[in-house]
Amino acid sequence: MSAGRGRALGPPPLLLLLLALPPGAGLPVSDVCATCHVHATCHQIEGKSACICNYGFVGNGRTHCQDKDECQIGASKICGNHTLCHNTHGSFYCVCLDGFRASNNNKIFIPNDGTNCTDIDECEEAGLCGYNARCVNTEGSYECYCNDGYKLENGERSFHPNASSASCKEIRCGSPPEMKHGYIVGNYSLVPGSTVHYECKEGFYSNEGKSSYCTAEKAWEPATLSCKVVDCGVPPAILNAHQASLSGTAYGSEVTYSCIHGYFIASGNQTAVCNAKGQWDGADLMCKEIDCGRPLLIPHTEIIWDNSTTLLSRVFYKCKEGYYFNGERNFSECTLDQKWESITYICKEEELFSNLTVFNETCVTWQMRTGRLGVQKTYTFHILGRRWDEKTFSEDVILNITTSEDNPKVCLDLNSGSNYVVNITTISSTNMPVSVTVAVQTKVKEAFNNVLIFNDTCLKWRRSVRGADMEDRYLFHVQGQRWYQKEFLHEMTFDLTTRKQAPEVCFDLQPGTNYSINISMVALNFSLLVSMTTQITDPPFPDIEFVAAKGSAPLLRLRKAEDRNGPISLYQVIVLPLGLQSTFVCDSFATATFFSNTTDAKGYVAAEFRARDVADNMSVALGDRHYYGKFYNAPLKLGKEYCVFLRIISEWNKIHHPAFHT
Ligand SMILES: *[C@@H]1O[C@H](CO)[C@@H](O)[C@H](O)[C@H]1NC(C)=O
Ligand SMILES: *[C@@H]1O[C@H](CO)[C@@H](O)[C@H](O)[C@H]1NC(C)=O
Ligand SMILES: *[C@@H]1O[C@H](CO)[C@@H](O)[C@H](O)[C@H]1NC(C)=O
Ligand SMILES: *[C@@H]1O[C@H](CO)[C@@H](O)[C@H](O)[C@H]1NC(C)=O
Ligand SMILES: *[C@@H]1O[C@H](CO)[C@@H](O)[C@H](O)[C@H]1NC(C)=O
Ligand SMILES: *[C@@H]1O[C@H](CO)[C@@H](O)[C@H](O)[C@H]1NC(C)=O
Ligand SMILES: *[C@@H]1O[C@H](CO)[C@@H](O)[C@H](O)[C@H]1NC(C)=O
Ligand SMILES: *[C@@H]1O[C@H](CO)[C@@H](O)[C@H](O)[C@H]1NC(C)=O
Ligand SMILES: *[C@@H]1O[C@H](CO)[C@@H](O)[C@H](O)[C@H]1NC(C)=O
Ligand SMILES: *[C@@H]1O[C@H](CO)[C@@H](O)[C@H](O)[C@H]1NC(C)=O
Ligand SMILES: *[C@@H]1O[C@H](CO)[C@@H](O)[C@H](O)[C@H]1NC(C)=O
Ligand SMILES: *[C@@H]1O[C@H](CO)[C@@H](O)[C@H](O)[C@H]1NC(C)=O
């Protein structure tokens, strides 16, 4: 309102002027004061009155006092930073800029009291920025920034809620990428910074990472993932082993190894498996060559060995002198389990007379077991013999037998029915005499060789006794019985002493008798039973008695005959015309009945009785016209002379032994 604006040089000279020419100078005080400008006040200075413009006004105090624009002095200087300056008539006031507050908490202030404008922290007021955003205070204002994971859609970094309607939107990745031949493991989220982890399916692998990352750009990085199929390739070669089998080269395939021949599994597995990483797992087989080490020592043997200790190497064992081989094998082999096969006690002490046995009564056999083959050996036999009833040895023979057989058989020429002691001696491989004794008993059956029955009642046999002086005594016990005659018994006892080679003896035996003859040799405790059956001979002549011999039916009385020479079977009454008896042939009547012949010139059987039906003194009427047996007792012709026979028949085995009486 007064001097020009800006930084013109005007005001300072004005002030100087004011000081050099005080107002009212030269005028009376009272007058001066009356002339003061309405916005001036009269001041007494060094006894003189002067008009001075009031505070906030500038002028000469009398004619003009115009308002001083304090704000022109420099807003920042007068009100301070962040202020607006308002000039008033004669004064001014300060107001804080938006976003600032007066430190005296008033709306307006005058800076001279030290009041200043300080920045308001708008962020202290909650919720300025809305959801998912945070407030950042600035001098005089504030900015809203989206929280992590949120983003402004317009792409700005920050916003002011008053200035825009922008809001923070959550940042989200889409579905995570799929992994070919793989799958997601664990939990994941779609917010940036989260990671999805994958695993390959069995049999697949990945070398290029198995996770994807959700970036702030809503994208999964990397966007493509895949697993490759596992292939272990050709299984590794293993030293001293060969592949026994291979099921493939894919994941889970197996390869088996075996040690090559002569090698054994020292450690490791025989099977390797193709693992998920495409490696053969467990191909750690170690094969070492078999080594059996030193062979075993076996008692009484010597070793024959080429020092080799590998598989199937052999060590031979040889029996020492005086021992013989008695095993299944004379060698031991180095086996897969790195051991020599055990063969124990294969050599036994020499046996010169093992398993000595007597056979076929007079033969001896034994087994010679020495280590040597085909060696001739001399055996000295000392044979002492005596008969069973003798107390001392009567035979004494020494003989030598030389043989190279391992299993000699010697049959000795010994008398029968004797006890022998046979002492066999030989020389062992250690030059020691070795002897064995065996008892031999010869049986007696040879003393009764070829026993023969001759001439019905005689016996002969053959003595097989060596030495002409040998004498034998036989005891005979003869017993005879008849099957048809219970009470019959014929018994006799006698003895016989003989030196004959073929003795004979005849017995006084009765006919029709079963005999058993017990021949015993007392000395030899031997007996022999011979059965003999004597022939049935003719029965005794029958007794017959005619009580009356006249008329056509004369009475005939029969007597029972004795079973002396055999069993009596039948009685027959034979009628023969007189005069024919000279030509009578007994057997021709055996079956002739009265009706066999038409002429009565020939005889016929008139009656036949079985022996058991005949009673003593039985009467038969001749010609009584009855049948007796199958025979007709025909009436005799009167005036004719007959000759009547009684026939007694001993019948056994269809052999007839008839006896007659007239
Ligand atoms: C005003 O602001 C300026 C620049 O920012 C600064 O240098 C000065 O010290 C401030 N004055 C006061 C009184 O705060
Ligand atoms: C502003 O005023 C306050 C209170 O009177 C004082 O504490 C502060 O130091 C002042 N600031 C400046 C920059 O002068
Ligand atoms: C076995 O070894 C021994 C000692 O090493 C040696 O004296 C011998 O001649 C060897 N035998 C053979 C058959 O090689
Ligand atoms: C072992 O026995 C066999 C026959 O069985 C024979 O040929 C070989 O000579 C024997 N060896 C020894 C060392 O006795
Ligand atoms: C003993 O000898 C008999 C007859 O010669 C024979 O059968 C048997 O096997 C032998 N026993 C032994 C153990 O040699
Ligand atoms: C026993 O002797 C008989 C007759 O002398 C003869 O036939 C048989 O072979 C002999 N047996 C043996 C085992 O020698
Ligand atoms: C049997 O042989 C031995 C020696 O081998 C000899 O001394 C003895 O005279 C012989 N005896 C006979 C009966 O030959
Ligand atoms: C068998 O003969 C030997 C040699 O003559 C003799 O030493 C031994 O005592 C005899 N043994 C018997 C049981 O007679
Ligand atoms: C049988 O006995 C008869 C007479 O008694 C005689 O002649 C005959 O030599 C005897 N037979 C034998 C084989 O002895
Ligand atoms: C006697 O010998 C006969 C004929 O061989 C036989 O049938 C009968 O049974 C024998 N009787 C006796 C008692 O041995
Ligand atoms: C034969 O006679 C002997 C001696 O008397 C007797 O020991 C033996 O038992 C008799 N044998 C028979 C079969 O009767
Ligand atoms: C029966 O008569 C005939 C002739 O007349 C004769 O040849 C025969 O021997 C007679 N038989 C007997 C059993 O008498």
Side-chain angles (χ1 to χ4, degrees), residues 181 200-206 227-232 249-252 274-278:
H181 306 304
C200 291
K201 286 181 189 163
E202 246 188 28
F204 295 85
Y205 73 101
S206 170
C227 295
K228 292 178 185 158
V229 89
V230 165
D231 189 323
C232 285
T249 60
Y251 170 67
C274 178
N275 71 13
K277 293 177 188 160

Coordinates of all heavy atoms in Angstrom, one line a residue, residues 181 200-206 227-232 249-252 274-278:
H181 N 4.3 -86.8 -15.5 CA 4.8 -87.9 -14.8 C 5.2 -87.6 -13.4 O 6.0 -88.2 -12.7 CB 6.0 -88.6 -15.5 CG 5.8 -88.9 -16.9 ND1 4.8 -89.7 -17.3 CD2 6.4 -88.5 -18.0 CE1 4.8 -89.8 -18.6 NE2 5.8 -89.1 -19.1
C200 N 8.4 -86.8 -8.7 CA 8.1 -87.6 -9.9 C 7.5 -88.9 -9.5 O 7.7 -89.5 -8.4 CB 9.5 -87.9 -10.7 SG 10.2 -86.5 -11.4
K201 N 6.7 -89.4 -10.4 CA 6.1 -90.7 -10.2 C 7.2 -91.8 -10.2 O 8.2 -91.6 -10.7 CB 5.0 -91.1 -11.3 CG 3.8 -90.3 -11.2 CD 2.8 -90.7 -12.3 CE 1.6 -89.8 -12.4 NZ 1.0 -90.0 -13.7
E202 N 6.8 -93.0 -9.6 CA 7.8 -94.0 -9.5 C 8.3 -94.4 -10.9 O 7.5 -94.5 -11.9 CB 7.2 -95.3 -8.9 CG 7.8 -95.6 -7.6 CD 7.4 -97.0 -7.1 OE1 7.0 -97.8 -7.9 OE2 7.4 -97.1 -5.9
G203 N 9.6 -94.5 -11.1 CA 10.1 -94.8 -12.4 C 10.4 -93.6 -13.2 O 10.8 -93.7 -14.3
F204 N 10.2 -92.4 -12.6 CA 10.5 -91.2 -13.3 C 11.4 -90.3 -12.5 O 11.4 -90.5 -11.3 CB 9.2 -90.4 -13.7 CG 8.4 -91.2 -14.7 CD1 7.5 -92.1 -14.2 CD2 8.5 -90.9 -16.0 CE1 6.7 -92.9 -15.1 CE2 7.7 -91.7 -16.9 CZ 6.8 -92.6 -16.5
Y205 N 12.1 -89.5 -13.1 CA 13.0 -88.6 -12.3 C 13.1 -87.2 -13.0 O 12.7 -87.1 -14.2 CB 14.4 -89.2 -12.2 CG 15.2 -89.1 -13.5 CD1 16.2 -88.2 -13.7 CD2 14.9 -90.0 -14.6 CE1 16.9 -88.1 -14.9 CE2 15.6 -89.9 -15.8 CZ 16.6 -88.9 -15.9 OH 17.2 -88.8 -17.1
S206 N 13.6 -86.3 -12.3 CA 13.8 -85.0 -12.8 C 15.1 -84.4 -12.3 O 15.4 -84.5 -11.1 CB 12.6 -84.0 -12.4 OG 13.0 -82.7 -12.8
C227 N 9.0 -84.9 -15.7 CA 9.8 -86.0 -15.2 C 10.2 -86.9 -16.3 O 9.3 -87.2 -17.2 CB 9.1 -86.8 -14.1 SG 8.7 -85.8 -12.6
K228 N 11.4 -87.4 -16.3 CA 11.8 -88.3 -17.4 C 11.7 -89.8 -16.9 O 11.8 -90.0 -15.7 CB 13.2 -88.0 -17.8 CG 13.4 -86.7 -18.4 CD 14.8 -86.5 -18.8 CE 15.0 -85.0 -19.4 NZ 16.4 -84.6 -19.2
V229 N 11.5 -90.7 -17.8 CA 11.4 -92.1 -17.4 C 12.8 -92.5 -17.0 O 13.8 -92.1 -17.7 CB 10.8 -92.9 -18.6 CG1 11.8 -93.4 -19.5 CG2 10.0 -94.0 -18.0
V230 N 12.8 -93.3 -15.9 CA 14.1 -93.8 -15.4 C 14.6 -95.0 -16.3 O 13.9 -95.9 -16.6 CB 14.0 -94.2 -14.0 CG1 15.2 -95.0 -13.5 CG2 13.8 -93.0 -13.1
D231 N 15.8 -95.0 -16.7 CA 16.4 -96.1 -17.4 C 17.9 -96.2 -16.9 O 18.7 -95.3 -17.0 CB 16.4 -95.8 -18.9 CG 16.9 -97.1 -19.7 OD1 17.7 -97.8 -19.2 OD2 16.3 -97.3 -20.8
C232 N 18.1 -97.3 -16.3 CA 19.4 -97.5 -15.7 C 20.5 -97.9 -16.7 O 21.7 -98.0 -16.3 CB 19.4 -98.6 -14.5 SG 18.5 -97.9 -13.1
T249 N 15.9 -102.7 -17.9 CA 16.8 -101.6 -17.5 C 15.9 -100.5 -16.9 O 16.4 -99.4 -16.6 CB 17.6 -101.1 -18.6 OG1 16.8 -100.6 -19.6 CG2 18.5 -102.2 -19.1
A250 N 14.6 -100.7 -16.8 CA 13.7 -99.6 -16.3 C 13.8 -99.6 -14.8 O 14.3 -100.5 -14.2 CB 12.3 -99.8 -16.8
Y251 N 13.1 -98.6 -14.2 CA 13.1 -98.5 -12.8 C 12.5 -99.8 -12.2 O 11.5 -100.4 -12.7 CB 12.2 -97.4 -12.4 CG 11.8 -97.3 -11.0 CD1 12.8 -97.0 -10.0 CD2 10.5 -97.5 -10.5 CE1 12.5 -97.0 -8.7 CE2 10.2 -97.5 -9.2 CZ 11.2 -97.2 -8.3 OH 10.9 -97.1 -7.0
G252 N 13.1 -100.3 -11.1 CA 12.7 -101.5 -10.5 C 13.2 -102.8 -11.1 O 13.0 -103.9 -10.5
C274 N 17.4 -101.3 -10.2 CA 17.4 -100.0 -10.9 C 16.6 -99.1 -10.0 O 15.4 -99.3 -9.8 CB 16.8 -100.2 -12.3 SG 16.7 -98.6 -13.2
N275 N 17.3 -98.1 -9.5 CA 16.5 -97.2 -8.6 C 15.9 -96.0 -9.3 O 16.1 -95.9 -10.5 CB 17.5 -96.8 -7.4 CG 18.5 -95.8 -7.8 OD1 18.5 -95.3 -8.9 ND2 19.5 -95.6 -7.0
A276 N 15.2 -95.2 -8.5 CA 14.5 -94.1 -9.1 C 15.4 -93.1 -9.7 O 15.0 -92.3 -10.6 CB 13.6 -93.5 -8.0
K277 N 16.6 -93.1 -9.3 CA 17.6 -92.1 -9.9 C 18.2 -92.6 -11.2 O 19.1 -92.0 -11.7 CB 18.7 -91.8 -8.9 CG 18.2 -91.1 -7.7 CD 19.3 -90.9 -6.7 CE 18.8 -90.3 -5.4 NZ 19.8 -90.6 -4.3
G278 N 17.8 -93.8 -11.6 CA 18.4 -94.4 -12.8 C 19.7 -95.0 -12.6 O 20.5 -95.1 -13.5

